[in-house]
Amino acid sequence: MTSDISTFATPSSERPPSCVPIDWAAVEHWLGLRLPADYKRLADRYGPLDFGEYVWIHVPCVQRDRLDYGEWLRTTHRQARIETRHLPEAERPVFHPEPGGLLAWGCTRGGDVLFWDTSTSVDPDRWTVVVRHSGVVPGSGLLLWHPYDLTLTDYLRHTVRDTWELPSPPGPLMGPLPGTVARTAFLPDAEPWIPPVPVPPRLTGAERRIALETGTGLDGLRLLSPPPEHPYLGNGSWEGLFAELGTRLPGEYVRLMDRYGAGIWSGWLRFHTPLRVGERRFLTHVEDTADAYRQLKDGGADWFPLAVWPEPGGFLPFANSIDGDYLGWLTDGEDPDTWPLIVWPRHADQGPPLEGGLIDTLLTWQRGRLATPGFAAPDEDDDPVEFAEFLSWDDRAYW
C-alpha cells in the first residue's frame, strides 16, 4: 500500500503548497474520531491542497469568506444527506456525526465529493474511499455513489496512474491526472482552524415551544429570528419613500422593517433597504425588476401573467432570493393593507397570491412549514431554530 503522496506527486513551482498549523488533538476531539495517519501527514506537510489540478483536499483551516473546515463538513454532509433521500432506505449512506457515517475530505472541480467510509474499520488507517460522482462515470453504470477498496493515498495514486497495479481497475476512477500538488488557489491566506466551543441552546424548552408552535405575529417572529439591535433602513424617511412611489406601503411591512431593517433571512431571502436615497434606493430595485418582468412577459405572456406596477393591481417587489425569486404585493385597491402577497418564482410556474400577510408568512416559513414554490425550505432533518435567522446589512450592502 502507498503511504505517502510524495512518491507520485511533485510540488507546483507556481503555487507551492504550504502547511497550516493544525491541533490534531483538538480537531479529533471535536470530530469524535481519530483521522487517518496518511491524511494528517499530508495536511502537516502540504496544507490545503490542489491535487492533480482537479481534486481539492480540504484540511482543518479557515479563510474568511472562503472556507471554514467545520462549516464545510456540515454543509457538505447536509447536502449529501438530502441528495440520497431518493434512494431506497436500505441503500442510503449515513453521514458523520452518525456512527459509521461517511466523512468528507475533498471535492473536485467537476463537483464530485470524496469521503471516507468510517464504518470500514475501527482503525482509521484502514478507512476506504467513497466518491459521490457528479455524473455517470465510465465503468460505474448508473451508480453515482461508488465505494473503492482503497485508502486516501492509494486512491490518489490511482488517479495519476500510468498502468494498473491491480489485476483490474478498482472502479470508475477519475483521471489520469497530472502528479502535481499546489496550494489551493482560493485559499492563499488560510489560517489555523479552531474547533468551535459548544454553546448552550439559544432557547429554553418553553421558549422553543413558543417560537415554533404557539407564538404569533411579530412577537413570535422576534423570538424565533432575533432582530438586530440597530436595524438599518437607510438615511431617508418613510414619507419620502411614499412620495417617490406615489403610494403608501402596507403597514405591517413598515412595522417589520422598523424592527429588522434591511438584511437577509436564513441566508436566502434579501429585503431591500427601504429608505436609502441615491442610486441604489428602493425604487431602483423595483424599476429594475419591473423592467425585467415586462421583457419576459413580452416574450411569453402565458408564463408571466402578472400586471406590473404601477399598472392597476401590478406586481410591486420588495425582496428577492439568492436564487432569483421575487416577493412582492399585487397593488390591488387603494388600501395597501389589503394588498395580497405574492411570489414570482424563478424555477416554478406562477402561483396564486399567498393566503397570509407578510409577518405571518415569514413566521410560517422560518418554522419550516411554508410549502410555497419560490421559498427555500429547511430539510426535514434540519432544526428550524438553527435555520431561522436574520442578518442585518448596513449602507455598504448593494441591496
Side-chain angles (χ1 to χ4, degrees):
M1 296 178 64
T2 306
S3 61
D4 193 326
I5 67 172
S6 64
T7 62
F8 55 85
T10 56
S12 164
S13 59
E14 294 182 0
R15 285 187 288 111
S18 58
C19 65
V20 175
I22 299 171
D23 183 342
W24 289 112
V27 171
E28 291 176 327
H29 177 76
W30 180 80
L31 286 169
L33 293 170
R34 290 188 300 117
L35 292 170
D38 62 346
Y39 172 74
K40 291 190 283 188
R41 285 195 300 270
L42 178 152
D44 286 338
R45 180 171 183 178
Y46 298 110
L49 204 58
D50 184 338
F51 179 87
E53 301 178 5
Y54 191 70
V55 178
W56 290 311
I57 300 175
H58 293 313
V59 305
C61 66
V62 61
Q63 181 167 317
R64 182 178 175 84
D65 299 328
R66 294 294 181 89
L67 180 103
D68 176 286
Y69 174 73
E71 183 63 18
W72 176 75
L73 280 181
R74 188 190 72 81
T75 57
T76 299
H77 292 169
R78 176 183 181 272
Q79 185 60 39
R81 186 184 72 230
I82 294 170
E83 289 178 357
T84 59
R85 191 161 287 126
H86 72 283
L87 297 174
E89 189 170 354
E91 299 178 14
R92 295 177 198 168
V94 296
F95 300 91
H96 183 270
E98 292 292 324
L102 300 184
L103 178 64
W105 56 266
C107 55
T108 75
R109 282 179 165 81
D112 314 282
V113 187
L114 303 103
F115 302 83
W116 287 293
D117 183 352
T118 69
S119 70
T120 306
S121 172
V122 295
D123 179 2
D125 294 336
R126 299 176 67 85
W127 289 349
T128 54
V129 169
V130 173
V131 180
R132 194 287 183 195
H133 295 292
S134 61
V136 176
V137 178
S140 70
L142 297 177
L143 186 65
L144 297 181
W145 289 86
H146 199 95
Y148 296 83
D149 189 22
L150 298 167
T151 63
L152 178 148
T153 303
D154 287 320
Y155 180 86
L156 295 177
R157 169 66 186 89
H158 281 285
T159 68
V160 298
R161 61 200 177 274
D162 295 319
T163 59
W164 295 112
E165 299 174 4
L166 302 175
S168 61
L173 288 172
M174 60 188 71
L177 305 177
T180 59
V181 289
R183 183 59 176 266
T184 304
F186 58 83
L187 297 175
D189 303 312
E191 298 177 348
W193 179 73
I194 300 174
V197 177
V199 296
R202 177 169 65 83
L203 301 177
T204 66
E207 289 172 334
R208 184 180 175 90
R209 284 191 293 274
I210 295 171
L212 295 178
E213 299 173 17
T214 63
T216 59
L218 199 52
D219 289 338
L221 188 62
R222 284 198 302 244
L223 186 59
L224 183 58
S225 307
E229 183 177 355
H230 301 291
Y232 176 70
L233 287 86
N235 50 9
S237 68
W238 286 113
E239 292 305 321
L241 174 63
F242 299 160
E244 184 173 40
L245 294 174
T247 179
R248 302 187 70 82
L249 297 179
E252 69 168 347
Y253 170 76
V254 175
R255 292 193 299 275
L256 178 76
M257 298 307 291
D258 281 341
R259 191 66 188 89
Y260 282 88
I264 185 166
W265 294 80
S266 296
W268 185 80
L269 183 61
R270 304 176 292 205
F271 272 63
H272 302 316
T273 307
L275 306 184
R276 179 186 282 141
V277 297
E279 182 181 358
R280 293 181 288 118
R281 64 195 188 277
F282 184 89
L283 182 60
T284 301
H285 295 299
V286 172
E287 291 178 336
D288 287 347
T289 304
D291 288 344
Y293 194 93
R294 288 190 189 95
Q295 292 178 28
L296 293 168
K297 189 180 181 74
D298 288 343
D302 291 342
W303 295 99
F304 302 95
L306 302 180
V308 184
W309 183 85
E311 300 170 32
F315 177 60
L316 195 164
F318 60 85
N320 65 17
S321 80
I322 61 174
D323 295 321
D325 312 279
Y326 288 85
L327 179 63
W329 302 282
L330 294 181
T331 54
D332 188 10
E334 296 183 359
D335 182 1
D337 290 332
T338 66
W339 291 349
L341 199 64
I342 194 166
V343 177
W344 169 25
R346 170 76 182 276
H347 301 291
D349 293 342
Q350 180 62 58
L354 305 182
E355 294 183 1
L358 176 58
I359 293 173
D360 286 344
T361 296
L362 283 175
L363 181 57
T364 302
W365 173 54
Q366 293 282 274
R367 287 172 168 170
R369 300 175 186 169
L370 185 65
T372 297
F375 266 86
D379 181 62
E380 63 186 50
D381 290 331
D382 289 341
D383 181 350
V385 172
E386 294 181 2
F387 171 81
E389 67 173 4
F390 177 82
L391 297 178
S392 182
W393 287 329
D394 57 27
D395 60 355
R396 293 170 295 180
Y398 175 79
W399 305 101

